[in-house]
Amino acid sequence: MPSLGTSFGRGGATDFQQDLQNSDCIVIMGSNMAENHPVGFQWVMEARERGAKVIHVDPRFTRTSAMATKHVGIRAGSDIAFLGGVINYILQNNLHFAEYVEHYTNAPVIIDEEFADTEELDGLFSGWDPEQGEYDVQTWMYEGMEVHGAAGQREEGFDPTKGEQSGHGGGGSGLHHGEPPAEDPTLQHPRCVFQILKRHYQRYTPDFVAETCGCSVDDFVEVAEALVQNSGRDRTSAFCYAVGWTQHTVGVQMIRAAAIVQQLLGNMGRPGGGIVALRGHASIQGSTDIPTLYNILPGYLPMPHTEDYGGLDGYIAANTSPTGWWGHFDAYFVSLMKAYFGEHASADNDWLFESLPRIDDDNSAYFTVQQMLEGNVKGYIIAGENPAVGHANGKAHRLGLAKLDWLVVRDVVEIESAAFWYDSPEVESGELKPEEIATEIFFMPAAAHTEKDGSFTNTQRLLQWHWQAVDPKEDCRSELWFYFHLGRLIKQKLEESEDERDKLIKALRWEYPTHSAIREPDAESVLQEVSGWEIGSGKFLSGYKELKADGSTACGCWIYSGCFKEGINQTARKKPHWEQDTYVAPEWAWAWPDNRRLLYNRASADPDGNPWSERKRFVWWDAEQGEWTGLDQPDFDQQKPPDYVPPEDAEAEDAIAGDHPFIMQADGRSWLYVPQGLEDGPLPTHYEPHESPFDNPLYSQRANPRRQQNKDLAEDPYNPVANEPGSDVYPYVVTTYRLTEHHTAGGMTRSVPYLAELQPAMFCEVHPDLAREVGLEHGGWATIYTSRSAIEARVMVTDRVRPLRMKDGRTVHQVGLPYHWGKRGLITGDSANDLAHMALDPNVHIQEVKAFTCGIRPGRRPRGPELPKFVAELREQAHSRREQDPRVEPEELRKTSS
Amino acid sequence: MALSKLLDSWPVLRQLREGDPLGLGKAVQSPRSQTLVPRIDEAEHVVHSICPYCAVGCGQLIYVSDGEITHIEGDPASPISRGRLCPKGQASKSFVQSPLREYKVKYRRPYGTQWEELSLDDAMDMIAERIIKTRADTWEWKTEDGNPANRTMAIGNLGGATLDNEENYLIKKLMTGLGIVQVENQARI
Amino acid sequence: MNLLQELLEPTGDPDGWDAYGDEQKERVGFFTDTSVCIGCKACEVACKEWNLIPEDGRVWTGESYDHTSQLGANTWRHVAFVEQRKPLIGDGNGDGSTGLRWLMESDVCKHCTHAACLDVCPTGSLFRTEFGTVVVQQDICNGCGYCVPACPFGVLDQRKIEATTDPPPAILGRKEDGRVWKCTLCYDRLKGGHEPACAKACPTKSIQFGPLEELRERADARLAKLEAEGWNGAQLYGRDPDDGVGGFGAFFLLLDEPEVYGLPPDPVVTTRDLPEMWTNMLAAAGTLLVGVAALTFLGRRG
Amino acid sequence: MREKLHPLSDLNGKPPGTTSWSGSITEAGTDMRSYYGRPIVKEPTWTWEIPAYFFTGGLAGASSVLSSAARISGNETLARRALYIGAVADLVSPALLISDLGRPERFHHMLRVVKVTSPMNLGSWVLLVNGGATTTAAALQLLGKWKPLRIAASAVAALAGPPLATYTGVLVADTAIPVWHEGRQELPWIFGASAAASAGAMAAMFVPPRDAGPARRLAVAGVLAEGALMQAMELRLGKIGEVYHEGEAGKFSSAAKGLALAGAALLARRGRKSRTSAVLGGALVCAGEVCLRWSVYKAGFQSARDPKYVVESQRRRAERDGTKATTKPGDNPAPPSRGA
């Protein structure tokens, strides 16, 4: 999460779930926690029972709202307007936690005088390049901070622009011993971050919020007040979010907005505070820490790009921050290369850096699908994912798969992505015919979690080991087995090859002990490599501080370093919580980094190192002992005193002052304003969703100018928007979501009898007014359609999805769609994602399925060939009208004018 | 002899003997009820595990008897879940023993109209061959504008959010070694 | 005599429980607090997983998020969902003023102090355990079905699908299970010292298991708290030993009248009126005897 | 609407709710007075064998009394025929009961216990005694042997007969089904009367009119008594009783009245003279009694299906007796101590 990464330094939830019980106010927004994280929600209920306010801000009244002390319904996609309103409310009324903001955030920092705000440029920040459709971030910098790297912003701050997690706040190269060149502690300077913030949000008044979000002024003020009254020295508030924020074309900025609120209120790094990112998969945090993502290497080290760095040094330099913990980038990278290539990687051959594959700006999943459709991708391996149902615009994915030469699908059941060639809407409609599909398909039965050893990293960065209970049956195998033996086979077959191309794979260290009849690789030996050792002695590393850049240490993921310290699998620690002294339970499993459970916890003490209050004491400076101590592992150099001032020549962590808690940041502070690391602006700004029935009330710039679109992709047409002619064909806002009873694309739940019966059919949730408007009957059928496709669903007429009255007196109706269904399984139904488009957030390339537009009518959808016809007719109808009077997006206008 | 035994066990007599004249309690307790033992107490071994669904990370206890899972329930020792599970986590046993679970490799040849059988070893070998060939056919040393590439853009790998860290590590390591850069997972989605 | 006394003036003690003497355990039960129920249905699944209950059909009912509909032979925990245009707390102005509330309640067998199903069971299959709970013994039940209409809560039902455990012999037996099933309060788990599956799973401890006395005290405190906070409709259901079934072994905190959740407002153990019915019957029988005789002899004279 | 809401509701044997709504499910929930109109108490799982047994059991019970009475009064023919009728009925009854069980092979579990709280259990014992006695007596009668034993057996049968004929009334009354439980005062009487009527009618069919006088009187008296009792019950049941005028229960109930009264009239006016009328009349009465059993049986199902009967009857009782199952804020509940 570059949002959290750029703001605080690490792309992970800042708090742990159990700590929510200490919150005085919990705002759940962009999340349906009670339904999708029911067991984690027990900690919210604990807080509620202790008298905490629980506020749910969401387009729908869900099982979470039912448990909240306050629910505010807002229009899907208007979250930044709401949070911006909170920020403005705090600033206008001077309600921020002054001492915290001055010392721990970059509020006092003065910004380059070239910087121009959206308020000045009608919805664009300075540096917009209409040709490229990108920002040049030079003008966003701290005043007097030189920017280097020919390729501009990409090279700054850990390749912020290239993928969800890479946006670590390592930026700020050239900071003078960790201190920004120019700041104003009084926060009065017109160009200091604090004042810029004030100006940027001055128009986000309660009335504006009400008109834009469709809630009442009172409800908004009640929420803002609740947050303010429950923050400060003696009280803390927490935010919980999930993909309800992430899955927007401004998803990253939504999270950023919450980050700003929490900084102004001084809730970061403190018990019962922070921002809890609620992840939806068992190891989705792990799969970004140890990425199966194109743009990063383990530990958020950026993949090298397709340009000439001038050798390893160039790459290191471009990614090293002189100050803060990113100062040791070289050690992290070299240790990874040693783990990957062992003795083959040496100082003389630059640790094989030049042989590493290079990436382009975007090689993400949606890019790959487009490449499939264009026939550029020949082979594809799918392991535990179901794009045919789970990805936006399922049809495009299915058509793409049909263009492959070969496809490997690994799963426990035969999912839609394996069966698309004979059982899919396209086969039904005749758009795909099995006898015409050239794709060779291997379905490989997978082993379940009960049939293998391994570790999951949960939503709070906790690595938890699970032991194998039984042997996998017949052909079922773990991914560990599949990829290990696949690699072994390939290396075997290429043993003799002299081809330069095969140098790297031949150099790959690939020896792992195996056990049992099927020769299952030993998972712990892999974890040992991840944790790292000292080459030669073979001594296990105790943490990333021991990593060396001289090739004397090997470590597969620097932030996980120490998870096998002393040769003990730290992730397998299962000491019961009742046998531990504190609720922090540090001896249960292992958290990155360095087993710290509450990140930035130095901030739980005031600048002098004393707890802000007795009630909220967590980590503090023990003067006698001369060290930081408390309930948790201090997220700070343990011996660095609060009054430490870095010497002139200080580097890396030594350049971080004793009263700057955010040790991953170049300046040791949290960033209210992000000078670099984000594609679409240093501050969150309200933009309408890519598809929305409304214009932007603030600017002529309607949607995020930097959002990724596929304008030329026939398979991904967009609905006319706002007041465009033709937009009335798709007049309603649709939002997709999960239900407690099912899991994502349904492969793991539609196959389970006990779960299938609990939510047995696809349905849509609509308000009685909408039902009346279009003639839907409760319990009947509805057909929902967009430019992409049409699906059918049973109708649930309920007040829980409320229509919202907007500024212009228009009423906007919202349609709720769970997205769990597909054509396979014990229960089947149409897939909501077939309706969605593939316009993406520019930072993380995530699709906008939480807010787009649709039409809805009573009755079941057309069958067979009639379906695509039905969709096409409506699309033509809408688009032809648009063509007569084409609307040009402002960013386009600017292009032509320049 | 046997008859008297039978008589002894006849609840009507027990009603009088065991002070339960109404026959509502102890007197009518059946042999099964008298000897009932919970199957988790009979399990051969218990395994500490973690729920495979969402990222809350609830602890699970897996009970096993003669090679089969007999029950899965929450692990009270976990400071996060305290032994509790949601319906999905609670259904984990039914999931791993799902009636739809696949146990055999299935192969679909180009233009084929049904699945065919294929041995695991052959499948692995064929997949390895496909990767090697596709990679050789589509390798690029340089991009159009002459920058270093060292890769193939013709192969992709999707998935990881539901896998173990160790598995993700091997995937990224192997793909990087092979010059395959299009490695993605649900975290994107 | 014990018998007569039991019949004529039932005390607060569960019928048949005292028979255990030293083997008797502390009476345990459930307190289901709907004010913290998040409607996740973990209890339904936990129950089925533990008791190996067959699935109950895949029916989309349209009744909010409830698709299992009711307790029966194949659903021993059932979560009811009711959406209402009423505020959860107060008059809708203060906190929680959404004007909407979503009631969720996990229903289960009440393990009545005076249990009709137990009384009427002709085989002794239903019995009172040493824990004071009411259990159907599957090795005894012959599927006469008498307990089904006898239960004032409609908890029990006959399993009409093929037998999953000890199937009947071919000759007389039918293919289908034919026996009656219901919540056992996890009798086997209790014997092993484990808490029932549903209570253990419940993420928010809406389902609380424990000694009944303790639960009742907890419930009273909870009700007082909710009253102080101004929750609408808060009431305990089945907590009072003086009600028609002598108090529930598994009782509830509801946020609306019982019938809204599909529960009888004032359930009574049918056998409470049994003495009256027996006397009645004897009178009728006597009359029949006399009547027939009279009519016969009458004839001889006429 | 209901069908739409419950496309598959028969698949899992769940009766659909009876309420239908046009607005939103929220609107429906707001002023719902039952759970989507779903039943609160379950319908019996019993099938046709049960009402059939109500008839045969009654017939057996009353016949054994009739037989003994006739013997004492010196009407040997009637005594004999009634004895045989009773024996046959006694043999049919257990067959019917066993075939209704979910686990027929476990029928003997009925005799596992003696439970005064279970009408079905005591009924089984009574049926055993009466059946045993009657069939023994009948057998000995056929063989013409061991007179003393036969007399003893008949005596036992005669004493066990009336309970057998009436306990079924208690059996249905001892349930949570409103129309049955609320009818507990009349039901044993009605079933007794019906038993008498059927025994009389059946005998009237198989006994020459000359000797069938008592049987005819019994039939007529039974029919009249049961008619009056039914009226009384419905009157007292009030709204709950309306099921006797609706659906199948309604049809059977009026059929019962019609057939029984017609048969009784025929027996009374021409039964002594014409054998044909005697047979016809007896048959009509028996048919009527069968219908009566069925109407009571069906009424129970209808009463269980609609939750309003449960709610309204209980609300009314609570109103009347000040009883309740809920504890609201302000009530001071009895101290927990009494509980366990």
Side-chain angles (χ1 to χ4, degrees), chain D:
Chain D
M1 191 71 196
R2 183 207 289 183
E3 285 59 36
K4 257 213 209 75
L5 276 174
H6 306 283
L8 309 160
S9 51
D10 49 330
L11 280 196
N12 62 348
K14 290 173 191 160
T18 50
T19 51
S20 75
W21 44 85
S22 52
S24 74
I25 195 72
T26 319
E27 187 183 353
T30 305
D31 27 43
M32 206 155 59
R33 274 291 147 262
S34 73
Y35 189 63
Y36 303 105
R38 290 185 176 275
I40 289 177
V41 297
K42 292 257 187 314
E43 299 175 11
T45 57
W46 299 328
T47 46
W48 66 271
E49 294 95 334
I50 297 303
Y53 162 72
F54 289 167
F55 174 78
T56 59
L59 178 60
S63 298
S64 45
V65 183
L66 179 58
S67 161
S68 298
R71 177 154 285 121
I72 300 166
S73 71
N75 184 338
E76 267 302 313
T77 333
L78 177 57
R80 230 175 255 170
R81 300 287 167 87
L83 179 60
Y84 295 145
I85 292 172
V88 173
D90 265 323
L91 288 172
V92 178
S93 299
L96 289 168
L97 288 178
I98 290 171
S99 79
D100 177 72
L101 292 178
R103 283 306 192 86
E105 80 278 8
R106 291 184 178 176
F107 70 92
H108 59 280
H109 287 190
M110 291 290 188
L111 307 179
R112 195 173 161 263
V113 285
V114 176
K115 280 177 79 170
V116 291
T117 60
S118 172
M120 188 181 282
N121 173 267
L122 291 191
S124 311
W125 287 106
V126 171
L127 177 60
L128 182 74
V129 173
N130 176 273
T134 315
T135 42
T136 319
L140 296 175
Q141 180 86 63
L142 277 172
L143 303 171
K145 285 189 182 155
W146 303 324
K147 193 164 177 215
L149 179 58
R150 194 200 70 207
I151 291 173
S154 323
V156 172
L159 289 177
L164 179 62
T166 49
Y167 90 90
T168 43
V170 179
L171 182 94
V172 294
D174 191 18
T175 63
I177 292 177
V179 74
W180 285 350
H181 191 65
E182 298 304 316
R184 59 186 177 277
Q185 288 176 14
E186 292 83 3
L187 279 171
W189 294 88
I190 292 171
F191 279 28
S194 170
S198 26
M202 191 62 81
M205 292 171 70
F206 293 99
V207 177
R210 189 168 43 77
D211 305 313
R216 287 197 299 276
R217 285 194 288 279
L218 189 58
V220 175
V223 169
L224 295 176
E226 121 207 334
L229 286 160
M230 280 299 279
Q231 285 308 326
M233 180 171 78
E234 284 177 38
L235 262 173
R236 209 171 46 70
L237 286 175
K239 189 166 178 9
I240 305 173
E242 74 190 15
V243 288
Y244 279 109
H245 302 282
E246 293 166 354
E248 294 181 90
K251 291 199 192 71
F252 279 114
S253 143
S254 33
K257 288 198 183 66
L259 291 166
L261 285 172
L266 197 57
L267 282 178
R269 304 205 41 250
R270 322 226 20 252
R272 179 133 34 87
K273 304 178 194 62
S274 139
R275 179 75 195 252
T276 343
S277 339
V279 172
L280 185 60
L284 284 170
V285 172
C286 286
E289 297 316 321
V290 171
C291 289
L292 174 88
R293 307 293 192 157
W294 240 275
S295 74
V296 173
Y297 173 71
K298 288 292 180 188
F301 284 72
Q302 286 163 230
S303 181
R305 202 163 296 147
D306 192 334
K308 73 173 182 235
Y309 295 118
V310 175
V311 175
E312 281 169 19
S313 62
Q314 293 191 7
R315 282 284 173 207
R316 210 180 315 119
R317 185 186 56 230
E319 196 69 25
R320 196 184 61 228
D321 312 348
T323 58
K324 60 179 172 50
T326 57
T327 314
K328 299 192 173 173
D331 306 358
N332 34 2
S337 53
R338 274 199 67 198

Side-chain angles (χ1 to χ4, degrees), chain A residues 582-596:
Chain A
T582 68
Y583 73 102
V584 179
E587 290 171 80
W588 177 272
W590 186 88
W592 75 264
D594 203 15
N595 204 30
R596 298 164 199 167

Side-chain angles (χ1 to χ4, degrees), chain A residues 2 120 194 221 297 337 354 372 388 442 576 596 598 628 637-638 645 733 755 836 875:
Chain A
E120 300 159 61
F194 191 76
V221 172
L297 290 161
M337 292 299 106
E354 286 296 358
M372 283 184 200
F442 301 84
R596 298 164 199 167
L598 201 166
W628 292 93
D637 296 355
Q638 196 138 6
V645 178
V733 173
L755 295 174
R875 189 172 56 228

Side-chain angles (χ1 to χ4, degrees), chain A residues 10 14 104 268-271 595-606 612 618-620 628-629 631-636 661-662:
Chain A
R10 300 189 189 96
T14 70
Y104 296 168
M268 298 310 299
R270 303 181 58 200
N595 204 30
R596 298 164 199 167
R597 306 298 168 112
L598 201 166
L599 294 182
Y600 324 116
N601 53 32
R602 156 70 177 92
S604 67
D606 64 20
W612 287 107
F618 194 69
V619 164
W620 57 90
W628 292 93
T629 177
L631 308 182
D632 192 7
Q633 181 70 24
D635 188 10
F636 205 63
F662 298 87

Side-chain angles (χ1 to χ4, degrees), chain A residues 23 175 236 559 600 659 692 773 782 824:
Chain A
S23 299
L175 287 183
T236 51
I559 58 174
Y600 324 116
D659 61 352
S692 136
E773 190 173 303
R824 315 290 301 168

